[in-house]
Amino acid sequence: MFEKVLIANRGEIALRIIRACRDLGIRTVAVHSTIDSEAMHVRLADESVCIGPPAPRDSYLSMAALVSAASVAGADAIHPGLGFLAENATFAQVVTDHGFTFIGPSPDHIATMGDKIAAKAAMVEVGISPVPGSDAAVESDAEAARIAEEIGYPVLVKAAAGGGGRGMQIAREPTILAPALALARREAAGAFGDSRVFIEKFIEKPRHIEIQILADSYGNAVHLGERDCSIQRRHQKVIEESPSPVLDDAVRAEIGARAATAVRQLGYLGAGTLEFLFDGRDFHFIEMNTRLQVEHPVTEMVTGVDLVREQLTIAAGGKLQFGQDDVRFDGHAIECRVNAEDARTFVPSPGRVREYHPPGGPGVRVDSALFAGCMVPPHYDSLIAKLIVHGPDRPTAVARLARALDEYVIEGIDTNLELHRGIAGDRDFSSGAYDIHWLERWMDGA
């Protein structure tokens, strides 16, 4: 096992990794920008290194600063967390080239899965079916029109690189396709430096289902069930839960086994997530995330598996200590992403937290680096906490979610807690009757 791990991230995910390392007796090195010098992850790590000014490009996105910090601190390995450089193949290669262990998959797998076109091709090779559409980037509007006619409107134009909803445009009829292509290419070029786009069939009311997997270097791979991430706005997840209200045990076992088999055939290493659109009958692959997910706690709550601990163990050359038959699913878990933002406009709301009181009680977990008096900087993602609840069944989990949201106090900045309270009290949410477009419809009518 590693003696010292540098965490190339900040906020709640850095704190989460510190705790897993401490459970394993691993010393930790926190990195921070100048504005994060008093942050909770810095306070709780064994040591810390300042890596630059607040702007991400000069600190958390600076490969040179991160590798230098690991060298100065004498770290054995670097954990990228999520966001920032977590899915950057170049960073993974730089870490390895400088003699550190990258706690994640190989640079080749990161690169392949980071390109949606290459990812689709790789999954087809191992028997996973993607959403119907183009096999490669479309080279012209004429080619796009031909493919759209073949698969039928409406279609979705998507950026080949990146994610988060950027570079995505819907075309519901032929006259809209050319403008959608132009806009998607501009957005993709601006956001990712890559203007390539491809076309997929637009599925009207799907569920967004993802499968969590773990794989070691000995050919072992397991799935840890699914997460339903269908409550989202502009392709950004807002609430996730496990298990999905619309899958039964047989369907869960089937898609989980297919996912585990696929990553085993790919020779994948570590934690990863295969994401699908589920139309009520078929699963259509859309992408694979080669890192820890924001919503990983719901899987931990229903399986009892510490995903960060497993990442560390696998990266250190360890073998999975359990097989698929050992994985047990217990109860139901739901996660709310608590963001520092206006609940209606989603405009970020940085500032100083005046009062902070997280909820507690049976089945309640809060992953956050907030404390009263701390500063939420304007330079980074607006996610400030994750509220996770667990119960023996979904109705109990929903009731606990409502209770926990009522208890949660964050003052001094705007948050989306009221949005979550509204969703938790809605009949459609309580019954599980929602799809990936439900939240936007709900907000338009709220």
Side-chain angles (χ1 to χ4, degrees), residues 104-431:
S106 71
D108 286 345
H109 280 134
I110 295 174
T112 297
M113 296 305 163
D115 183 319
K116 290 183 172 60
I117 295 172
K120 288 174 63 174
M123 285 299 167
V124 168
E125 287 292 320
V126 292
I128 300 290
S129 301
V131 177
S134 56
D135 296 327
V138 291
E139 299 295 335
S140 66
D141 288 7
E143 180 188 7
R146 176 182 58 78
I147 294 169
E149 289 296 333
E150 289 176 358
I151 62 177
Y153 286 91
V155 298
L156 185 63
V157 183
K158 298 178 68 174
R166 289 173 293 182
M168 297 176 65
Q169 296 293 325
I170 301 170
R172 294 189 174 276
E173 56 185 48
T175 57
I176 304 300
L177 183 58
L181 286 162
L183 182 54
R185 288 181 177 124
R186 286 197 302 272
E187 289 181 351
F192 314 118
D194 184 343
S195 63
R196 292 177 305 143
V197 297
F198 63 103
I199 292 188
E200 287 182 346
K201 176 69 177 176
F202 180 73
I203 302 173
E204 289 287 357
K205 292 186 177 182
R207 304 288 286 224
H208 186 141
I209 306 291
E210 60 187 29
I211 307 296
Q212 176 70 58
I213 60 89
L214 287 170
D216 64 21
S217 57
Y218 301 90
N220 302 305
V222 298
H223 75 86
L224 299 175
E226 86 282 5
R227 296 183 289 258
D228 195 320
C229 307
S230 303
I231 295 186
Q232 50 187 261
R233 177 184 179 272
R234 295 181 181 175
H235 310 286
Q236 297 288 333
K237 299 168 186 174
V238 176
I239 294 178
E240 303 94 354
E241 62 180 308
S242 181
S244 169
V246 298
L247 300 189
D248 59 30
D249 290 342
V251 173
R252 177 175 302 110
E254 179 189 357
I255 187 60
R258 286 166 57 193
T261 298
V263 297
R264 188 181 301 113
Q265 291 175 338
L266 288 170
Y268 187 84
L269 180 71
T273 303
L274 279 71
E275 303 203 7
F276 299 87
L277 293 181
F278 178 60
D279 62 12
R281 183 182 64 182
D282 298 318
F283 288 88
H284 305 281
F285 173 79
I286 50 175
E287 65 181 352
M288 182 177 184
N289 291 123
T290 54
R291 54 163 168 81
L292 200 64
Q293 296 279 86
V294 170
E295 59 272 21
H296 76 274
V298 293
T299 295
E300 294 182 329
M301 298 292 270
V302 296
T303 63
V305 175
D306 183 331
L307 286 167
V308 182
R309 184 188 182 106
E310 294 302 323
Q311 281 187 301
L312 292 162
T313 301
I314 291 169
K319 183 182 294 187
L320 280 172
Q321 296 301 300
F322 56 91
Q324 193 64 59
D325 291 342
D326 300 311
V327 178
R328 295 287 183 269
F329 301 102
D330 176 26
H332 200 96
I334 306 171
E335 174 183 294
C336 290
R337 299 190 184 201
V338 182
N339 294 335
E341 62 188 16
D342 183 278
R344 291 293 305 176
T345 65
F346 294 85
V347 173
S349 175
R352 191 168 297 280
V353 176
R354 189 171 62 250
E355 291 189 32
Y356 181 69
H357 178 75
V364 177
R365 165 180 169 179
V366 176
D367 283 16
S368 177
L370 288 189
F371 57 91
C374 75
M375 174 63 70
V376 176
H379 312 280
Y380 314 118
D381 188 89
S382 62
L383 179 71
I384 53 174
K386 299 184 301 196
L387 169 61
I388 310 102
V389 297
H390 179 263
D393 50 43
R394 191 172 188 274
T396 303
V398 171
R400 285 179 173 170
L401 179 64
R403 167 174 63 80
L405 286 166
D406 284 343
E407 290 181 16
Y408 214 151
V409 176
I410 304 174
E411 294 185 359
I413 57 174
D414 292 332
T415 73
N416 62 347
L417 283 172
E418 279 303 317
L419 172 66
H420 286 300
R421 291 176 184 127
I423 296 171
D426 187 87
R427 291 182 180 180
D428 287 343
F429 176 73
S430 295
S431 66

Side-chain angles (χ1 to χ4, degrees), residues 75-116:
D76 307 304
I78 296 178
H79 195 307
L82 52 86
F84 292 129
L85 296 171
E87 290 182 290
N88 188 300
T90 300
F91 180 57
Q93 190 64 60
V94 166
V95 168
T96 302
D97 289 345
H98 282 79
F100 305 103
T101 299
F102 181 78
I103 300 174
S106 71
D108 286 345
H109 280 134
I110 295 174
T112 297
M113 296 305 163
D115 183 319
K116 290 183 172 60

